[in-house]
Amino acid sequence: MARRNIVVGLDIGTTKIKALVAEVGTNGQVYIIGVGETPSRGLRKGAIVNIDEAVRSIDLAIEKAERMSGVEINDVFVGVAGPNISSINNQGVIAITGPNREILMDDVQRVLRTLRMVGLPAERKIIHVIPRQFIVDGYDGVRDPVGMAGVRLEVEAHIITGSTTYLQNVHKIIQSAGLKLLNLMVSPIAAAEAVLYSSEKQLGSILIDIGGGTTDVTLYDGGSPWLTFALPIGGDHITSDLAVGLRTTLVEAERIKQENGCVLAQLAPENELISAVAVGGNGVNQVSRKKIASIIQPRVQEIFALIREEIEKSGYRGILPGGCVLAGGSVLIDGIVELTQEELQLPVRLGYPEGIGGLAEVVRSPQYSTVVGLVLQAARNYREELVPEGDPLLGGIWGKIRSWWREMA
Ligand SMILES: Nc1ncnc2c1ncn2[C@@H]1O[C@H](COP(=O)(O)OP(=O)(O)OP(=O)(O)O)[C@@H](O)[C@H]1O
Ligand SMILES: [Mg+2]
C-alpha cells in the first residue's frame, strides 16, 4: 500500500488546544481527516504557567485527533503566539563576488543570515525571517534574485521574535507529550495562510485573531507581513467583565456571552430579558440584552484602541485597502463586523478557513483559522520535498529557502 502523506497542525491556545490531521493528496490537495480539541490548561495570556497540565491537554487533543483520523501522530507543526511575540523590519546587504557576478542561492542565504546578526538580547529568539523583497544593484521589488547578475544584493525582511523561555517551554511540552516538533509558526501568520486572499495581502490588510487570552495581529503590505504583535486581552476578559457586571459566575457569564452576547449596545434590544443565575446560586437575575452588550462593548473597543496604538507606534503609513479579516473564537459574537468597521474605518469580513477538502466543514469557522493555516503550511513544506524547485504557488525562492527556514525554526 502506498504511504499516506499525513501532516498535523497543533494550535496551543490559551482557551483550547486544537489538533488537526490532514492527508496531502498526490495532487497537493489537503484533506482534513481528524480534529481533536480540548480545553487548554496550564496556559495564561499566551504564557505556559504549568508544564504538566499543558502536556496533559496536548495528550488529550492528540488522542482525540488520532481516534477520529485513525492515524498515529508523531510529528506536529506547532503554532505559537501571545504577548511575548514581537516583530521588526530590517535590511541586510552583501556584495556579490562569485563568477560572472551571478547571484546564487548561497548569496541569498548569506544576505538573509546577516539579519540574524541583529543584536538580539539573550532572552529573545528569532522565529521567522520573512523576506519582503530583494534589491539588486538598487532595483527593488525583486522576489527571487537567484540567477540575476549584480554586485550588491540587499534584502528587506520582516523578523518575528519570541521570548526564549516561552519557546523553550513549547519545545519541552511537545517533547514531553511524546511528539516531534517539525516546525514552529507564529499563529497569526498561520491564520493568514488560511483566511487571507493573496490580493488582500498585496493591497495591504490586517488580520485580527481574537482568542481567549490574547489578540494576535498581523498586518500585510505588498504581499508579505509588515507588522506582527499580540495583546494580552481576549474573549476571556469579556467573560470576566460580564461575570462582574451581572454578578454571576464565570460559567454562566460564558454561556450568556455565547448565546446572547452582542458587541454593539445600539443593536441589542432593551426589552429582551435573559436569566442569569446569581453568584453563589442565590436566585436568578433578569438582565436585558442591551445591558449585556453595554458591558461587552467597551472591552472590545479597548482591544481596537490598543491595536490602533500599536499600528501608530510601528510607523506604518499605509491605508490598508485590503481591509480587515477577523479570526479566532471571540469574533463569533454578534455585531463584531459592524463594530470593527466603525473602530478601524476599514472594510471588514469574518475569516473562514479555505483551501482544504475532506472534513472541511468541521473546521469552517474563524476559530480554526490558525490550525488550518498550520496544516496548509505543513503540507506546502511537505510538497516542496517532492518539488525541489519549490512551491510554484509561492514562487521559487520560497521553496529554495525552505531548508533555511527550518534552520530558523
Ligand atoms: N459563540 C461565541 N460567542 C462569543 N465568544 C465565543 C463564542 N465561541 C467561543 N467564544 C470565545 O472564543 C474564545 C476562544 O477562542 P479561540 O479558540 O480562538 O482561543 P484560543 O486560540 O484558545 O486562545 P488564544 O488565541 O488567546 O491563545 C473564548 O474566549 C470563548 O469564550
Ligand atoms: Mg488562538
Side-chain angles (χ1 to χ4, degrees):
M1 205 176 84
R3 191 166 71 97
R4 294 175 75 190
N5 309 324
I6 302 293
V7 290
V8 181
L10 183 68
D11 175 17
I12 307 175
T14 41
T15 315
K16 283 178 195 156
I17 308 268
K18 304 174 189 110
L20 195 59
V21 190
E23 184 161 4
V24 188
T26 45
N27 55 358
Q29 235 311 4
V30 178
Y31 300 96
I32 305 300
I33 58 171
V35 186
E37 194 174 315
T38 51
S40 156
R41 308 254 177 264
L43 280 100
R44 205 148 37 86
K45 290 185 189 168
I48 297 162
V49 292
N50 186 321
I51 298 261
D52 291 342
E53 281 186 358
V55 171
R56 262 197 302 280
S57 304
I58 289 175
D59 275 344
L60 262 176
I62 292 288
E63 219 178 280
K64 282 188 182 174
E66 283 182 331
R67 234 179 293 139
M68 182 164 171
S69 61
V71 298
E72 190 194 333
I73 296 172
N74 301 306
D75 307 337
V76 288
F77 212 95
V78 176
V80 294
N84 76 89
I85 300 292
S86 63
S87 70
I88 46 162
N89 295 314
N90 214 335
Q91 286 107 34
V93 58
I94 57 160
I96 303 299
T97 51
N100 311 324
R101 310 274 166 172
E102 183 185 328
I103 299 172
L104 306 173
M105 194 54 217
D106 264 4
D107 298 313
V108 173
Q109 291 188 350
R110 197 151 55 88
V111 74
L112 287 169
R113 221 172 280 129
T114 62
L115 296 171
R116 294 185 78 175
M117 312 293 178
V118 288
L120 266 191
E123 69 272 13
R124 299 207 66 81
K125 197 172 177 301
I126 290 177
I127 304 174
H128 297 302
V129 174
I130 307 171
R132 290 183 37 80
Q133 66 163 340
F134 293 93
I135 303 163
V136 179
D137 291 354
Y139 291 99
D140 59 5
V142 177
R143 280 288 283 178
D144 181 357
V146 174
M148 290 175 71
V151 292
R152 181 184 161 93
L153 176 65
E154 291 168 79
V155 65
E156 267 179 36
H158 184 61
I159 302 172
I160 306 179
T161 64
S163 111
T164 307
T165 321
Y166 168 69
L167 294 170
Q168 277 167 348
N169 281 334
V170 169
H171 277 273
K172 198 160 166 183
I173 56 175
I174 297 296
Q175 205 174 28
S176 308
L179 300 165
K180 183 171 160 228
L181 196 154
L182 214 53
N183 222 325
L184 265 185
M185 200 168 173
V186 170
S187 293
I189 302 279
E193 286 310 298
V195 300
L196 278 193
Y197 298 121
S198 51
S199 55
E200 289 170 330
K201 291 183 187 168
Q202 198 63 41
L203 280 170
S205 59
I206 184 166
L207 177 117
I208 301 178
D209 177 334
I210 312 180
T214 70
T215 295
D216 305 319
V217 180
T218 184
L219 183 154
Y220 277 75
D221 190 69
S224 325
W226 198 92
L227 174 68
T228 306
F229 62 90
L231 302 168
I233 310 185
D236 295 350
H237 298 79
I238 301 176
T239 304
S240 42
D241 291 348
L242 277 175
V244 172
L246 304 177
R247 291 203 209 99
T248 187
T249 62
L250 282 174
V251 173
E252 185 75 340
E254 180 70 29
R255 181 189 66 79
I256 291 172
K257 176 180 82 171
Q258 294 203 15
E259 290 176 5
N260 307 100
C262 177
V263 286
L264 265 183
Q266 78 213 46
L267 286 185
E270 181 96 62
N271 54 6
E272 201 179 314
L273 295 179
I274 308 296
S275 305
V277 174
V279 72
N282 293 328
V284 170
N285 298 325
Q286 297 292 317
V287 286
S288 72
R289 281 197 71 193
K290 196 177 237 7
K291 162 132 196 208
I292 295 169
S294 70
I295 295 171
I296 298 175
Q297 184 169 341
R299 180 61 86 171
V300 180
Q301 281 172 322
E302 182 196 0
I303 294 177
F304 285 112
L306 291 169
I307 292 173
R308 285 196 306 263
E309 207 174 286
E310 287 292 327
I311 297 174
E312 182 95 353
K313 261 200 325 216
S314 78
Y316 183 74
R317 291 289 168 258
I319 51 167
L320 303 173
C324 169
V325 179
L326 295 171
S330 295
V331 307
L332 296 171
I333 204 157
D334 277 357
I336 190 80
V337 169
E338 292 83 349
L339 183 79
T340 309
Q341 264 158 4
E342 213 173 285
E343 291 289 321
L344 300 182
Q345 295 292 313
L346 289 174
V348 179
R349 67 176 179 88
L350 291 184
Y352 288 91
E354 290 192 19
I356 45 173
L359 304 172
E361 280 314 306
V362 182
V363 289
R364 221 186 121 66
S365 163
Q367 55 190 317
Y368 295 109
S369 308
T370 294
V371 79
V372 169
L374 289 171
V375 297
L376 287 175
Q377 186 62 39
R380 190 170 289 152
N381 281 22
Y382 184 87
R383 283 200 304 273
E384 280 160 10
E385 302 275 15
L386 310 173
V387 187
E389 283 313 303
D391 183 344
L393 284 177
L394 282 175
I397 185 68
W398 293 92
K400 288 177 201 153
I401 62 173
R402 181 198 68 236
S403 51
W404 180 83
W405 262 64
R406 288 235 174 100
E407 191 188 310
M408 299 299 303

